[in-house]
Amino acid sequence: MTPLPGLPALPARGRGAGGRTSRRLATAVLCLGLFLLGMDLTILNVAVPALRGDLHATLAEVQWIVDGYALALGATVLAAGDVTDRVGRRRSFVAGLLLCGTASALGALSRTPAQLVAARCGMGLGAALLMPATLALISNLHPEAASRRRAIAVWTATGAVGGLTGPLIGGHLVEAFSWRAAFWINVPFTVLTTALALVLVPRPGQTPGTCRKRTDTAGLALSAGGFLALIWAVIESPSLGWTHPAVLTAYGLAAVLLSAFVRWERRSPHPMLPLPLLYDARIGAGATCLALMSLTLFGALFILTLYLQGVLGCTPSEAGARILPLPGGLAAGALAAPALMSRFGRRRPVVLGLALVAAAFAVQAGTTPESGYGRVVVFAIVAGIGAGLVACAATESVMGAVPPRQAALGSAINDATRQVGAALGVAVQGSVLTSTYTHDLRTGLGGRLPPGPLPLPGAAVPHTASGPLGTAAREAFVSAVTTTALTALTVTLGTMLVAWFWLPSTAPDRAPEAPGAPAG
């Protein structure tokens, strides 16, 4: 394995079969695990048409299949940060890999949408153990500010490239084999990464006092239940109706559970999320920017893959290939961020990145039925560069603010906000898409929809169809895409205001260790 450029070597803390362990090799292995996590988040996006046909899944069930991974990850990653510090970060990383691999095999064997949702949630639980461990270990491996910035930039770029090349990998697997291959690929991947981790990743010393800290079971249950109720309501609103009693009940339940979670965390002697940490603007504002950026970007990625296949007529592999400018731009933005942070602090790169993302959504909002791939390329490159700047600078803001012994908790906050944002992004933008598409398709067909599950353009009729259904489906879907782009543009502009007025322009590289501070 080639060492990552720019990362200085670490004197070995342990030996493996391959000799002395270096920081560069250990960081590379951790990033390999993160690549797997990011790939799993999006690999099924291009498999939606094939998956729907094989399992006879509705659009809402597809949203649950896509969202189950991010939902389970986002809902449990804070508690996993606590578990990671208590059982050991390398051990948590390996356990997360093995759980992901096992759940992936079960997903490949699924015969119903419900089984596939359960498998995706199992993969998300494994990722919840894996993800905080990666960033916490990297933070420990690189205590110096400049080295940590470079390592976090590589970490950010790797996760982004994994997430945004997932559709490319999935597209080739779907065409060569079936959608099930998108699950089978994880099995050898996890075995290889686990073996490398056991050999090359050092085992950090235990943080004093972490074993005495209890798991916040009540906090975990309240937060997971609240987010589950919220995302269920958002996904089911278009099909059941926004004022349906079950939907309104779910929204109310989400508000009650999440409010109770906040109250519990304030009173708990062992909180899963120590709320005073969020009062630090570097953490609170950084986490908010990460959550809202993930909401817009991952929701847009879900819709973009449907647009490429349904409206532009791409095959799954073609759709995955045509999204590549997005991860390319994101990696470029992430790798450029450390130099900008060194010169301008953290706020300006975040604001600049959000401005670029907003400009990209403005481009996407101008999509018409006659628009071609050129508009997609502009959106992907501009949004990717902007998101890379935001992800790297905001992550450094969070991780630079937490004390070293709370590194796993800081990583968990960073990861939870990203994944909850991603899950909400697919749910919210998917629901906006479904509502607008249903309304416009009904209007285009004279007030009547075809029987059966809601068709998608390209899935209901051939791309070249010239009949009323094909024309109405494409026009309605393009209208829905522009509506979701305007929604994402509004959210991005609001996030810019949060970053400009709340995120500090400059900050110390590392917060001092507070006496008696919880170990996370």
Side-chain angles (χ1 to χ4, degrees):
M1 182 177 296
T2 303
L4 295 175
L7 298 182
L10 174 72
R13 301 187 201 178
R15 287 185 179 272
R20 290 175 61 86
T21 304
S22 72
R23 280 200 284 190
R24 286 177 289 183
L25 288 174
T27 301
V29 174
L30 295 169
C31 287
L32 189 62
L34 185 68
F35 178 88
L36 172 67
L37 187 155
M39 181 182 70
D40 284 344
L41 188 63
T42 60
I43 195 170
L44 286 185
N45 284 6
V46 293
V48 166
L51 189 152
R52 289 187 80 198
D54 189 20
L55 299 183
H56 306 290
T58 66
L59 188 57
E61 287 173 331
V62 168
Q63 284 182 260
W64 277 112
I65 292 168
V66 172
D67 237 356
Y69 181 85
L71 175 60
L73 172 54
T76 60
V77 73
L78 283 172
D82 165 45
V83 172
T84 294
D85 270 338
R86 292 194 295 115
V87 306
R89 292 166 184 174
R90 190 182 71 164
R91 187 177 298 171
S92 179
F93 179 75
V94 170
L97 283 171
L98 295 177
L99 181 54
C100 280
T102 302
S104 295
L106 295 175
L109 299 172
S110 297
R111 298 300 176 197
T112 67
Q115 292 174 349
L116 196 52
V117 171
R120 289 281 287 174
C121 289
M123 293 168 65
L125 293 176
L129 285 172
L130 183 155
M131 198 169 189
T134 61
L135 195 53
L137 285 166
I138 286 175
S139 184
N140 287 340
L141 286 167
H142 303 276
E144 308 89 356
S147 177
R148 190 178 68 248
R149 284 197 189 107
R150 292 194 298 271
I152 288 177
V154 172
W155 181 89
T156 302
T158 302
V161 169
L164 297 174
T165 55
L168 174 66
I169 298 169
H172 284 290
L173 291 173
V174 169
E175 290 189 19
F177 304 101
S178 76
W179 62 265
R180 298 180 188 277
F183 288 89
W184 284 123
I185 191 176
N186 287 339
V187 177
F189 202 111
T190 55
V191 171
L192 172 63
T193 309
T194 299
L196 291 173
L198 293 174
V199 173
L200 298 174
V201 176
R203 182 183 299 161
Q206 184 180 334
T207 303
T210 55
C211 286
R212 294 192 298 270
K213 188 176 182 292
R214 298 176 182 175
T215 300
D216 183 9
T217 306
L220 172 61
L222 290 170
S223 62
F227 285 122
L228 177 63
L230 176 61
I231 291 176
W232 184 92
V234 172
I235 289 177
E236 298 295 337
S237 291
S239 57
L240 296 179
W242 294 88
T243 59
H244 190 279
V247 171
L248 294 178
T249 300
Y251 279 121
L253 180 62
V256 169
L257 290 176
L258 292 177
S259 297
F261 169 69
V262 172
R263 290 196 298 271
W264 173 263
E265 295 302 286
R266 285 174 177 166
R267 299 195 308 266
S268 174
H270 306 287
M272 182 172 73
L273 175 62
L275 294 178
L277 277 180
L278 299 183
Y279 301 155
D280 186 325
R282 293 169 294 171
I283 298 176
T288 300
C289 291
L290 286 170
L292 295 178
M293 187 270 293
S294 295
L295 186 151
T296 58
L297 191 66
F298 281 95
L301 180 63
F302 173 69
I303 290 167
L304 190 59
T305 54
L306 295 178
Y307 171 78
L308 286 168
Q309 293 181 81
V311 177
L312 297 188
C314 297
T315 65
S317 61
E318 289 172 343
R322 294 190 179 197
I323 293 174
L324 282 179
L326 187 54
L330 205 152
L335 295 175
L340 292 176
M341 284 189 287
S342 296
R343 183 170 182 181
F344 299 111
R346 295 161 184 149
R347 182 174 66 184
R348 290 186 183 182
V350 171
V351 173
L352 173 61
L354 291 168
L356 291 173
V357 174
F361 279 116
V363 170
Q364 191 180 37
T367 302
T368 68
E370 293 74 33
S371 295
Y373 177 59
R375 187 176 292 270
V376 174
V377 172
V378 173
F379 168 80
I381 293 175
V382 176
I385 293 173
L389 290 172
V390 176
C392 185
T395 297
E396 165 62 14
S397 179
V398 173
M399 295 306 296
V402 296
R405 68 198 300 260
Q406 291 181 288
L409 177 61
S411 175
I413 292 172
N414 175 78
D415 302 336
T417 52
R418 283 171 181 258
Q419 301 311 320
V420 169
L424 284 172
V426 173
V428 171
Q429 295 196 53
S431 294
V432 171
L433 178 88
T434 303
S435 298
T436 307
Y437 177 59
T438 303
H439 175 271
D440 290 358
L441 182 59
R442 181 184 289 112
T443 301
L445 295 176
R448 290 169 35 177
L449 288 174
L454 183 68
L456 290 176
V461 292
H463 171 68
T464 56
S466 57
L469 179 56
T471 301
R474 285 190 292 275
E475 291 180 351
F477 196 84
V478 169
S479 174
V481 168
T482 61
T483 301
T484 58
L486 290 172
T487 303
L489 173 60
T490 302
V491 173
T492 305
L493 292 175
T495 310
M496 282 181 61
L497 294 177
V498 170
W500 183 256
F501 289 106
W502 190 11
L503 190 67
S505 180
T506 57
D509 285 310
R510 178 75 75 173
E513 184 73 44

